[in-house]
Every structure is written in C-alpha cells, then in structure tokens.
Amino acid sequence: MPTKIPGYDYGSVVHSPVLMNHLRSLEQAADFSEEDVKWLRAAGPVLASQAERIVDSWRTRIADHPDMMRVFFGPNGEPDDSYKAAVKKRFVQWVVDSCERPHDQQWLDYQDEIGKRHTPAKKNAAEHTYTPPVVPLRFLIAFSAVVATTIRPFLESSGRDASEIQRMQDAWTKSMLLQLALWSRPYVSETLW
Amino acid sequence: MPTKIPGYDYGSVVHSPVLMNHLRSLEQAADFSEEDVKWLRAAGPVLASQAERIVDSWRTRIADHPDMMRVFFGPNGEPDDSYKAAVKKRFVQWVVDSCERPHDQQWLDYQDEIGKRHTPAKKNAAEHTYTPPVVPLRFLIAFSAVVATTIRPFLESSGRDASEIQRMQDAWTKSMLLQLALWSRPYVSETLW
C-alpha cells in the first residue's frame, strides 16, 4: 500500500455537477472507446514505472517558461518549493490514474476537483499557499500538446511494436483531452461550457 | 486562383486582443517550434489534396453525435443545411491553413475570429443564421482528440517513412492545440484565460 499523497483526495471530494450521461457524451465526442481503455491499461505499468521521470520532463519545460512558471510563485516572487513538490506528487499519480482508473462517478468527481484546483475555486486550497489564483486556461490547453506528444518515447520503452505504441499513444491523447474538457468547466459560464 | 469562400475573411478581420508576444509565449508552452513549421509545410500538400475527405470523416462523427450535431440545428429543430455547407468550406480551408499559414499578425487575428465564431460573439454572424449561439467549449476540446488522432492515415498516404509521419502528426497536434488555446479566449473571462 503506497503512502497516502497529501491532498490527493480521490474518492472523497464533492460530486461533480457534470452527470454521468454528460461524461458518456463527451467520451463519444473524443472517440474514447473500450478499445482505448484496453490500451491505456496496457500502457499503465509502462508509464507507472516511469511516472516521476515523465513529470520531471514536463516540469523542466515549465521551468523554462517564465509565464507558466509563475503559477508556482509565492508572494515573494520566488517559486514556492513546498507547493511545487506537493503538486508534483499528485501530478505523478495523475499519470498512473489516467491509465488505470475506470471512468466512474469517483473519477468524474475528481476531474472536477482537478479543474477547480487550477482556478480560483480551489487553487492553493490543498496546501494553504499563496501562489497566483489560476493556471491560465490558455496554458493548460497549449501545454496539453506537450503532454500528448512527449509520451511516445516512454511508451516505446515497453518494446511493443509500432502499431501497439500508436494505439497506446492515441488512447493517452484522447484520455488527456477528455480530462481537459472536464477541467475547463470551472473556467467558463454554464451556458458556454 | 480558387473561388473566394463565403465568410472566409482571412486578412480582413479586426485585430486579436492577444499580442504577438503572447502568441510566442503560447507557442513555447505548446513546444511549437520551427521544426514543427517545417513538418507542417511538408504535410500541407498531402493534407490539402485530401482536405475535403478529412473534414467529411469528421463531419460523419459529428453527425453521429446528437449533442454535437445540435450546433447545426435551425429553429425548426432540423439541421440548417446551408449553414452546415458554408461552415464546411471554411473547415476544409482550415486544414490547409493550419499547415501553410505563417503565425503572423493576420493568422493571430483570424484565430480570434474563429474562436468568436464558436461563441455568442459571432456564431451565426457570417451566414445570418439562427443555429444555437455556441459550440460548447467541452465539445470543442473533446473533439480535438479526434482531430489529433485521425489525421495519421491521411499523412501515411504520403508514403513517407514512419518517423517522418510521426513528426508531421506531432506538428499537427501541436498546431491544433495551440489554435484551440487561442479559440478558447472568447469563452472565458480575461483573468482566467
């Protein structure tokens, strides 16, 4: 049993206002199917064993980007290292969860929680920190391009053949963009979401 | 010289409120580089010759999705076929533009125009139609998974080797998500975008 990750409240957050039938509609929009679930499960152990390295590679890119890096800054204008470290553990767990968790009510609820933790609704709440109140939506979307396109070498280390790697990557991209659609909810008014 | 596409106002729309340096920051966030420009240019002729078939394949998926299909409905509850046809021509052109247009001020301006045309700011304006006033952001994001993952077979018809196809696909995915980040602007308040 792994140590509990602070602030990782999977299974114990409030219900998402998004209903399960809305999730199914979104899954269909993203063409996320049972086939994708199968390939995510196949990718799970491969990515789980490298999850920290994967997140480190993303964090390096964020550190090189002054506008994105700012979301970690405390009131003194310096990175809040304890916030950064706490969020990183959940980010690593997110890689694993994206492959392994079924898309049930708990999953749906936690997607909304993740979205809120990027907006004034709940950013800083888990660690009682004073970093900027939002990860701007434009960076969340733009950076998803990195999350989609940099996963491939990590999948290739599985030694699977190219067509299987491709299916795992497609499933990863669909899962990530489906989640991004759910995370965008607290950013926009109900009529536009 | 191709026939002018009705409502395709590239080069003659108002300036985007997004500045060029913000675009460069977003490009960096998406890891969109000169290398990606090169691979998009390589993909251009391959995708341009199939652009209508590509959009048809996406339209088929939208037609199978009741919630997405609704964005084309007129007040009588039936698809507005002339609106659908007009938008389709611009969608086909978008495939070509994504590969071929440089990311200059005109491009930036037109991205904002595309965003507005998905929201109450300008949806229906080009054709003076009465379809629903918004393409919900969640569907725009979720469907981007389809736009990212279904381009591969069209790229493969170029006969290029697998590593080149992969670079073209990555460049396509980055370009598309960068654009999606720009399109999201009219959906959200300035402080959250």
Side-chain angles (χ1 to χ4, degrees):
Chain A
M1 187 73 187
T3 319
K4 167 99 172 69
I5 298 166
Y8 176 65
D9 300 325
Y10 201 101
S12 59
V13 295
V14 298
H15 275 323
S16 170
V18 181
L19 303 177
M20 283 306 290
N21 62 327
H22 292 151
L23 171 59
R24 299 299 169 230
S25 171
L26 265 188
E27 286 175 338
Q28 188 193 338
D31 191 34
F32 184 89
S33 68
E34 281 304 314
E35 191 70 7
D36 295 300
V37 172
K38 187 184 111 184
W39 289 108
L40 281 176
R41 296 292 184 277
V46 183
L47 298 186
S49 64
Q50 306 175 86
E52 185 157 8
R53 279 210 294 141
I54 294 169
V55 171
D56 282 338
S57 74
W58 294 333
R59 275 287 179 90
T60 301
R61 286 168 189 269
I62 293 170
D64 283 343
H65 192 293
D67 293 331
M68 284 202 287
M69 191 57 193
R70 203 164 292 133
V71 305
F72 294 118
F73 280 15
N76 63 353
E78 296 291 329
D80 181 330
D81 288 327
S82 65
Y83 173 74
K84 261 182 70 187
V87 172
K88 183 183 157 181
K89 284 183 184 159
R90 299 193 293 266
F91 202 178
V92 170
Q93 183 63 40
W94 172 80
V95 173
V96 180
D97 285 354
S98 294
C99 296
E100 295 183 352
R101 294 279 197 185
H103 291 192
D104 56 13
Q105 184 68 48
Q106 281 196 345
W107 183 90
L108 182 59
D109 296 342
Y110 205 61
Q111 298 309 318
D112 205 62
E113 178 73 12
I114 293 175
K116 284 187 282 196
R117 289 184 184 195
H118 287 78
T119 72
K122 291 198 83 168
K123 190 165 179 283
N124 291 307
E127 275 76 36
H128 308 290
T129 42
Y130 297 91
T131 68
V134 66
V135 176
L137 182 62
R138 68 187 185 278
F139 290 128
L140 204 61
I141 297 175
F143 193 69
S144 74
V146 170
V147 175
T149 59
T150 59
I151 207 72
R152 191 176 185 88
F154 297 103
L155 292 170
E156 283 170 344
S157 73
S158 67
R160 296 240 193 180
D161 74 30
S163 75
E164 291 181 321
I165 300 292
Q166 192 56 44
R167 282 163 185 223
M168 288 194 267
Q169 180 167 20
D170 285 351
W172 172 263
T173 298
K174 291 179 191 180
S175 164
M176 192 263 302
L177 291 171
L178 172 66
Q179 293 180 66
L180 186 65
L182 291 165
W183 301 343
S184 72
R185 192 203 59 78
Y187 285 89
V188 295
S189 72
E190 202 176 333
T191 52
L192 299 182
W193 186 70
Chain B
M1 187 74 186
T3 320
K4 167 102 173 70
I5 298 165
Y8 175 64
D9 301 325
Y10 200 101
S12 59
V13 296
V14 298
H15 275 324
S16 171
V18 181
L19 303 177
M20 284 305 292
N21 62 328
H22 293 150
L23 171 59
R24 298 301 170 229
S25 171
L26 265 187
E27 286 174 339
Q28 189 193 339
D31 191 34
F32 183 89
S33 69
E34 282 304 314
E35 191 71 6
D36 295 300
V37 172
K38 186 184 110 182
W39 290 108
L40 280 176
R41 296 291 184 278
V46 183
L47 298 186
S49 64
Q50 307 175 86
E52 184 156 7
R53 279 211 293 141
I54 294 169
V55 171
D56 281 337
S57 74
W58 295 333
R59 275 290 179 87
T60 302
R61 286 167 191 268
I62 293 170
D64 283 343
H65 192 293
D67 293 331
M68 284 202 287
M69 191 56 193
R70 203 166 292 133
V71 304
F72 294 117
F73 279 16
N76 63 354
E78 297 290 329
D80 181 330
D81 288 326
S82 65
Y83 173 74
K84 260 183 70 187
V87 172
K88 184 184 157 182
K89 284 183 184 158
R90 298 194 293 266
F91 201 178
V92 170
Q93 184 62 41
W94 172 81
V95 173
V96 180
D97 284 354
S98 294
C99 296
E100 296 184 352
R101 294 279 197 185
H103 291 191
D104 56 12
Q105 183 69 49
Q106 282 196 344
W107 183 89
L108 182 59
D109 296 342
Y110 205 60
Q111 297 310 318
D112 206 62
E113 177 74 12
I114 292 175
K116 284 187 281 195
R117 290 184 184 195
H118 288 77
T119 73
K122 292 198 82 166
K123 189 164 180 282
N124 291 307
E127 275 76 36
H128 308 290
T129 41
Y130 297 91
T131 68
V134 65
V135 177
L137 182 63
R138 69 188 187 278
F139 290 128
L140 204 61
I141 297 175
F143 193 69
S144 73
V146 170
V147 174
T149 59
T150 59
I151 207 72
R152 191 175 184 86
F154 297 103
L155 292 170
E156 283 171 344
S157 73
S158 67
R160 296 241 192 180
D161 73 30
S163 76
E164 291 181 320
I165 300 292
Q166 192 56 44
R167 282 162 184 224
M168 288 193 266
Q169 181 168 20
D170 285 351
W172 172 262
T173 298
K174 291 178 191 181
S175 164
M176 193 264 302
L177 291 171
L178 172 66
Q179 293 180 66
L180 186 65
L182 291 165
W183 300 344
S184 73
R185 192 203 58 79
Y187 285 89
V188 295
S189 72
E190 203 176 332
T191 54
L192 299 182
W193 185 71

